[in-house]
Amino acid sequence: MSYVRDNGLERARRRRERRSLAILTLCALLVIGSVVFAATFMSQPSKPKAGECPSGTTTSLPPQATFPVNVYNAGGLKGAAGDAADALRTYDFNVGTVSNDPYKKKISNVGEIRFGPGGAQNAKKYVEPRVPGAKLVQDGRDGAGVDVVVGPQFPTLEKAAEKPSASPSCS
């Protein structure tokens, strides 16, 4: 009698080969799918966001947005610096740090507008009109930055009127 007798080891080897082949095929399909997805994602032209024109026009920043304005609380009223910072943001100020006064001064009046030699013009021309009654204080800082320090008599700053959102005509 001649017949080939299959032992269990041979069957196990074939099962491992089939399993390995299936895993390799699955991995190859995943890699190919990832490459195709990436290629289609990268080749799509970027779509303009809502309210933007695809043209290369740039809008200039208002002058008060060109220097940082830090708002500090030195009057003990909780949240006063945050409220003042929110109001200044509506006037397009570039508000940086909003915190308690780093000098730990207790101010008893409206507040202070602190600036260095480079920020004197910014403080007087743009910040002082928005913070009536605040005392101008020049300190030894460098740069054009200005600090608004809120005291207990700090007035509630009016927020700027909402700007109408004119939809740009993209032709």
Side-chain angles (χ1 to χ4, degrees), residues 107-119:
I107 296 177
S108 60
N109 57 6
V110 172
E112 293 181 350
I113 300 172
R114 298 179 188 153
F115 54 91

Side-chain angles (χ1 to χ4, degrees), residues 116-163:
Q121 181 182 1
N122 294 335
K124 292 173 185 169
K125 189 173 182 181
Y126 302 111
V127 180
E128 187 178 28
R130 296 282 169 228
V131 187
K135 180 180 170 187
L136 292 171
V137 177
Q138 184 168 348
D139 56 11
R141 77 179 70 200
D142 293 330
V146 177
D147 293 348
V148 175
V149 184
V150 177
Q153 297 174 8
F154 196 82
T156 302
L157 297 180
E158 294 297 320
K159 295 184 177 184
E162 295 256 345
K163 298 173 189 158

Side-chain angles (χ1 to χ4, degrees), residues 2 7 10 47 59 63 65 71 73 85-86 90 92 137 140 146 151 156-157 166:
S2 70
N7 62 11
E10 185 65 28
K47 297 175 185 169
T59 58
V71 184
N73 190 354
D86 289 342
T90 64
D92 296 325
V137 177
V146 177
T156 302
L157 297 180

